[in-house]
Amino acid sequence: MAARVEEQSMTNVSDYDYSNFYYSSGEDIFAILDPYNQWYGPARSEGYYLFAQPMFTPPLGRIELEEQLHHRGISLLNLSSYNYLGLSYRPEVIAAAKRALDQYGLGAAGSPILSGTMGIHCELESAVAKFKKKEAAMVFPTGYSTNLGLIQGLLRPGDWIIADQNSHASIVDGAILSKANVRFFKHNKPEDLEKKLKQATGKKLVAIEGVYSMDGDVCRLPELVEVAKRYGARIMIDEAHSAFVYGENGRGVAEHFGLEDEIDIHVGTFSKALGGQGGYVAGSQNMYNYLMGFARSRFFSCALSPVVAGGVLESLRIAQAEPQLRAKLWTNVAYIRRQLSDYAVDVGESTSQVIPIMIRNDRRMMHIAHHLQQAGLYLQPVMFPAVAKHRSRFRISISASHTTDQLDEAVSILVRVLREEGIL
Ligand SMILES: Cc1ncc(COP(=O)(O)O)c(C=O)c1O
C-alpha cells in the first residue's frame, strides 16, 4: 500500500489515513517514514491532521487550541474531553493537588514496590477500596497500564482470556503480553461468549467493559455474567467510562445491575469522570498481594505522581459527596440526545454520555473534522485502528459542566456541517 503512495504525488491529503502507512517495501524498518511524512507534513500544515493539537486551557466547555493551519489560537466549543463530572479543574481538586505537591514534591521517584509508595498512594488505595466496597484496591499510573499489568499479572500461557470484540486496546495488549490463548466474542453477545467458552479448556478470564468507549453502549451484564459463571470463568469488568457515572452511588454498571459481588475484578480509571490520571483494580486482598509482585506494568514503572494522587483523592470525595453532578450529567445527556434525535443524527447504539456521531466513511473523516473545527466545534475524529474502517465516527463526550447554551450551539454547528457535507 505504502509503495503505491510513494509513487504518486500526494495531491489530496484527505484521501489518506493511517491505514495507508502500515507496510513499506525494502529491507529497512525506516522505509515507511518518508512516505508517511510526505502525507503527515502537508496534512498537518493544511489543517487536516487534527490529532494532538495543543490546548491552552483546562478541558472546559469552551477551550483555546492552537490550530495547525494558521498557527493561531482559536476558541472552540469542546465536546471531546472525558471530564464527565467537570472535576479536573474544580478549585478544591486543584488545592488538594497543590497540598500534595508541597508535601511530596512532583514525582514519586521510584517504583511502588521499591521507594515509590508514598502515604498519599496508600490513602488513595484505601479510599478506592472503601468506595468500591472491596477488600483492596491497587492504583496504577494509567488506566492503560492497569489492564496491561492485571491481565499479564494473572494469566499464563495455556490460560484463556475471552474478551468482547470491542475491548479497549489495553485489554487486547494485556492479553497479548500474557501469552494466554486469546479469543474475542461478538460484541455484547452472550450466546457467542458461550460458544467461545465451550472451546476453552483450562483457566478462563472473561473481560468486559461497563460502557464501551467507542460506541457508548452498555454491556449486557446479567446475561454475560450468567454464561461466564456457568463455565467457571473469572470475570473482570473495566468501568473506565461508567464508574462515577452509573449506579445509585456511582459505583458503575456493576452497581446499576446489582451484580457487584458476582464480578471478581473491578477495573476503573481516574482519567475520565474524576478528571485526573491513573487506574485501579479493586477486588480481594489476596489478588492485591499477588499483583504487587507480578503486575509488571506497575512495578517496572514509577508510581503515580503524588500530586495527581492528591487531586484524585479530592475528586473521589466530591464525586461521592455531590450526587447532583451525576444527575446534572444525565440531564445534559438526555437534553442533547433529544436534540440529536430530532435532527435524525445517527448515534449508533449509544445509550450513555459517550455519543458517537456515525459517519461510516474513513476517507471523509479528516475533511469533516476540519470543517467542524473551522465552524467552531472541537470533536475528535475516531477512525481505524481505534474502530473498524467502515465504522468511523466523531465522538461526543458530555460533561456535567456543559451549559444548555453550549449544548444548543454545539448541536446547531454539528447539524449545519453534517448537512453541508451531505451526511444529514
Ligand atoms: C475501557 C478503557 N480502559 C482503559 C482505558 C485507558 O485509560 P487511561 O486513559 O486512563 O490510561 C480507556 C481509555 O480510554 C478505556 O476506554
Side-chain angles (χ1 to χ4, degrees):
M1 190 81 84
R4 242 183 293 138
V5 171
E6 266 173 285
E7 285 153 20
Q8 295 168 359
S9 66
M10 205 165 294
T11 49
N12 191 352
V13 289
S14 66
D15 284 346
Y16 297 86
D17 59 42
Y18 283 139
S19 62
N20 295 98
F21 304 102
Y22 271 92
Y23 301 104
S24 64
S25 49
E27 302 287 309
D28 181 2
I29 54 167
F30 277 10
I32 196 65
L33 302 188
D34 277 348
Y36 179 75
N37 281 283
Q38 281 161 21
W39 170 74
Y40 174 80
R44 208 169 156 85
S45 62
E46 290 176 25
Y48 281 97
Y49 186 94
L50 296 174
F51 299 118
Q53 299 175 96
M55 192 189 284
F56 295 98
T57 53
L60 297 153
R62 183 170 281 284
I63 51 157
E64 301 288 326
L65 271 193
E66 187 184 297
E67 159 286 34
Q68 305 299 301
L69 186 57
H70 306 102
H71 290 288
R72 58 182 178 135
I74 51 171
S75 166
L76 297 173
L77 270 173
N78 174 24
L79 266 68
S80 277
S81 297
Y82 296 138
N83 194 23
Y84 299 135
L85 299 181
L87 291 174
S88 89
Y89 40 73
R90 276 277 292 248
E92 307 94 304
V93 171
I94 293 170
K98 283 181 179 165
R99 284 196 301 277
L101 177 66
D102 288 342
Q103 182 173 352
Y104 293 102
L106 183 61
S111 153
I113 204 165
L114 299 173
S115 56
T117 294
M118 294 168 151
I120 196 100
H121 296 117
C122 300
E123 260 184 82
L124 180 57
E125 291 191 336
S126 301
V128 173
K130 192 165 169 217
F131 169 67
K132 292 292 290 182
K133 294 183 173 292
K134 295 293 158 200
E135 281 176 12
M138 175 171 279
V139 167
F140 287 70
T142 64
Y144 178 84
S145 66
T146 306
N147 280 329
L148 220 62
L150 165 71
I151 297 169
Q152 164 277 320
L154 281 181
L155 298 187
R156 301 286 166 264
D159 296 345
W160 291 80
I161 174 163
I162 302 174
D164 188 284
Q165 172 187 24
N166 286 4
S167 290
H168 187 260
S170 51
I171 294 177
V172 177
D173 293 355
I176 294 169
L177 199 60
S178 75
K179 300 198 178 83
N181 299 302
V182 188
R183 293 290 180 275
F184 295 97
F185 64 95
K186 285 186 192 150
H187 176 54
N188 233 350
K189 295 267 185 293
E191 56 282 8
D192 197 53
L193 171 63
E194 175 153 22
K195 223 160 102 185
K196 301 290 170 355
L197 280 167
K198 266 189 192 149
Q199 296 158 5
T201 47
K203 298 171 184 160
K204 298 179 269 293
L205 175 68
V206 168
I208 50 191
E209 293 175 26
V211 164
Y212 284 87
S213 60
M214 294 299 158
D215 287 292
D217 55 337
V218 174
C219 70
R220 291 167 62 187
L221 196 61
E223 298 106 301
L224 293 165
V225 164
E226 188 277 319
V227 174
K229 287 209 165 289
R230 206 148 26 83
Y231 286 83
R234 293 285 179 185
I235 307 166
M236 67 166 275
I237 185 166
D238 180 345
E239 301 243 29
H241 293 271
S242 43
F244 317 106
V245 171
Y246 276 78
E248 199 185 334
N249 299 289
R251 292 199 301 272
V253 160
E255 183 192 15
H256 170 78
F257 284 112
L259 289 169
E260 287 168 281
D261 293 338
E262 311 299 318
I263 290 164
D264 304 285
I265 308 168
H266 296 259
V267 173
T269 68
F270 304 134
S271 64
K272 321 287 189 217
L274 295 192
Q277 188 172 333
Y280 64 83
V281 175
S284 70
Q285 184 66 51
N286 282 349
M287 181 172 71
Y288 180 102
N289 298 344
Y290 186 78
L291 287 176
M292 176 83 91
F294 289 85
R296 292 166 65 88
S297 66
R298 184 170 185 267
F299 75 70
F300 283 118
S301 189
C302 185
L304 182 71
S305 160
V307 182
V308 176
V312 167
L313 249 175
E314 180 61 13
S315 284
L316 177 59
R317 188 196 64 74
I318 297 173
Q320 292 173 86
E322 297 183 17
Q324 62 271 28
L325 290 176
R326 269 198 312 284
K328 177 68 185 349
L329 170 63
W330 286 112
T331 304
N332 279 352
V333 170
Y335 184 79
I336 197 163
R337 276 188 175 286
R338 251 192 328 272
Q339 296 216 31
L340 293 171
S341 158
D342 287 349
Y343 288 109
V345 175
D346 179 359
V347 299
E349 307 302 312
S350 167
T351 54
S352 70
Q353 80 285 5
V354 178
I355 307 176
I357 305 299
M358 302 303 293
I359 305 295
R360 304 176 197 273
N361 184 339
D362 273 31
R363 287 170 64 90
R364 308 226 22 226
M365 286 300 287
M366 286 302 200
H367 173 78
I368 301 171
H370 178 75
H371 193 165
L372 283 167
Q373 183 162 309
Q374 294 303 308
L377 187 54
Y378 185 51
L379 275 192
Q380 290 297 296
V382 181
M383 298 153 63
F384 180 82
V387 292
K389 287 200 79 147
H390 62 294
R391 291 186 57 80
S392 46
R393 78 280 311 266
F394 291 94
R395 190 171 49 159
I396 289 181
S397 297
I398 300 299
S399 172
S401 62
H402 281 125
T403 63
T404 308
D405 283 351
Q406 286 172 341
L407 297 178
D408 285 342
E409 194 183 341
V411 170
S412 126
I413 294 173
L414 178 68
V415 167
R416 178 160 51 82
V417 169
L418 291 181
R419 281 183 177 155
E420 284 170 11
E421 293 293 337
I423 306 284
L424 269 185

